[in-house]
Amino acid sequence: MKHYALTVIACLIAFTAKAQEIKTFQLTNNTGMQAVVSNYGARLMSLTAHNWNGRLEPVIKGYENIESYKRNPMLGATLISIDGNVERTLAEKTWEVLSADNQSVTFRYITADSEAGFEGKMNFTVTYTLSDQNALDIDYRMTSTIPTLYKLTNGIVFNLSGDPNRSILQQHLWVDSHKSNVFDKEMHLTGEQENVRHTPLNFTRTREIGERINDLKTGYNHAFQLRHPANVQKPAAILFDAQSGRAMTVYTYEPTLKINSYGKKSTGISFQPLHTGYDENKEKINATITPGQVFHAATVFVFTTDPPLIMKKGE
């Protein structure tokens, strides 16, 4: 495998209580794709992917400097999720860098007892890997000294057009889901499910994101129950931009995928796997982590310039 020199783009900006330096790292795979990640919030700052004629362009929203993230800390960061609600708690922390090479970086954050509302002591690790298969792999692990419901997900906002300010309403979406998990007014899941058939949430057939977005009050911000939970070989969702030719396939271990378009006039969309909902046996997920148990989850975003056959058929 061809090796590239690891580039540390920026170093000391500030110190946290644990005296961790804020750093950014550039990852490069053998096809030229690049990602920039930072230990500030264990976040993805930028990601490029090829378009139909081989040109590399940005496919996520992000900023060039860390100071901008302090005004919008959830963007691209590792986030805490509980019962469907996504919080910024870890996004403003400076994580320890455990390891780094030309294609992978691992960050860790260990809480003090009762820090930031956490009970007990919690150990979080996140690994970003940019593979030679043009995939961004995010691996999450966590332990706790007491029973806890906290889980991890991402704050990445995608736009496959190559221009982060361009509308995504003409991009096509497919989701492996026949049901949605219902939120209450506080964005906590109620445990109830609704069939998406004959609703704007039905993406079992490929549709433009903007086709029915005006039928919703605030655009898409919904939790889709996946048909094949725990089967990482089955795609959870596929996004396709016809103009650039880019397709992105989302794979996850988790049973629920929260999709947010950030309003009706959207220029970005997020895919946040949640450890909640129902498993492959239609049993409600036990979301509690007990002392001694390691919570492990992974999300993989695969980039191609041809939508998978499953999306073309819409099945």
Side-chain angles (χ1 to χ4, degrees), residues 59-61 74-77 79 86 153-160 168 171 173 175 209 220-224 237 239 248 250 256-263 266-274 299 301:
V59 291
I60 70 167
K61 287 181 171 289
M74 294 181 71
L75 182 62
L79 305 176
V86 179
T153 192
N154 74 84
I156 304 168
V157 180
F158 294 93
N159 186 328
L160 298 189
I168 65 163
Q171 294 181 23
L173 179 63
V175 183
I209 295 171
Y220 291 101
N221 190 14
H222 297 81
F224 293 82
L239 183 66
M248 181 183 76
V250 183
T256 296
L257 186 65
K258 184 180 179 185
I259 298 178
N260 192 342
S261 69
Y262 303 95
S266 179
T267 60
I269 187 169
S270 61
F271 299 88
Q272 298 173 328
L274 303 177
T299 306
F301 301 100

Side-chain angles (χ1 to χ4, degrees), residues 20-21 39 94-99 105-110:
Q20 295 296 329
E21 298 178 2
N39 65 331
T94 305
W95 295 48
E96 177 186 1
V97 181
L98 286 187
S99 63
V105 176
T106 298
F107 303 122
R108 177 173 67 184
Y109 191 82
I110 301 175

Side-chain angles (χ1 to χ4, degrees), residues 261-299:
S261 69
Y262 303 95
K264 293 183 180 181
K265 297 181 179 180
S266 179
T267 60
I269 187 169
S270 61
F271 299 88
Q272 298 173 328
L274 303 177
H275 192 72
T276 189
Y278 297 84
D279 64 19
E280 61 273 22
N281 298 316
K282 300 184 179 179
E283 298 288 336
K284 190 167 184 176
I285 290 290
N286 179 5
T288 301
I289 299 173
T290 57
Q293 178 185 3
V294 178
F295 168 75
H296 176 224
T299 306

Side-chain angles (χ1 to χ4, degrees), residues 86-255:
V86 179
E87 302 176 0
R88 63 193 284 176
T89 311
L90 295 175
E92 296 173 285
K93 305 294 184 182
T94 305
W95 295 48
E96 177 186 1
V97 181
L98 286 187
S99 63
D101 60 32
N102 56 299
Q103 290 183 243
S104 184
V105 176
T106 298
F107 303 122
R108 177 173 67 184
Y109 191 82
I110 301 175
T111 68
D113 288 345
S114 302
E115 176 187 347
F118 293 117
E119 297 181 6
K121 190 174 184 178
M122 306 186 74
N123 186 327
F124 305 97
T125 64
V126 177
T127 299
Y128 289 95
T129 302
L130 188 61
S131 77
D132 292 333
Q133 289 70 46
N134 293 332
L136 178 72
D137 188 326
I138 312 175
D139 186 274
Y140 303 101
R141 295 176 190 268
M142 63 171 288
T143 61
S144 177
T145 58
I146 65 166
T148 181
L149 294 172
Y150 289 109
K151 303 298 185 296
L152 299 176
T153 192
N154 74 84
I156 304 168
V157 180
F158 294 93
N159 186 328
L160 298 189
S161 70
D163 179 355
N165 297 313
R166 187 181 299 167
S167 171
I168 65 163
L169 297 185
Q170 291 185 323
Q171 294 181 23
H172 292 78
L173 179 63
W174 174 90
V175 183
D176 186 31
S177 174
H178 287 162
K179 295 181 180 179
S180 65
N181 290 307
V182 179
F183 286 113
D184 62 20
K185 292 181 180 180
E186 284 71 43
M187 291 302 291
H188 292 290
L189 292 172
T190 65
E192 300 176 2
Q193 292 189 322
E194 292 181 349
N195 197 303
V196 301
R197 190 178 183 185
H198 304 308
T199 77
L201 304 186
N202 186 2
F203 286 96
T204 56
R205 297 280 178 178
T206 303
R207 296 179 183 272
E208 288 189 358
I209 295 171
E211 181 178 335
R212 296 168 297 175
I213 200 168
N214 287 326
D215 295 339
L216 302 167
K217 289 184 179 180
T218 58
Y220 291 101
N221 190 14
H222 297 81
F224 293 82
Q225 170 68 46
L226 298 176
R227 287 196 298 164
H228 301 95
N231 187 344
V232 76
Q233 302 301 319
K234 296 282 188 179
I238 303 170
L239 183 66
F240 176 63
D241 178 66
Q243 183 172 346
S244 68
R246 290 187 186 89
M248 181 183 76
T249 304
V250 183
Y251 296 91
T252 178
Y253 290 119
E254 303 293 18

Side-chain angles (χ1 to χ4, degrees), residues 5-12 21-27 37 100:
L6 173 68
T7 304
V8 179
I9 299 177
C11 293
L12 177 62
E21 298 178 2
I22 294 179
K23 299 178 180 179
T24 56
F25 301 86
Q26 180 172 292
L27 311 178
V37 295

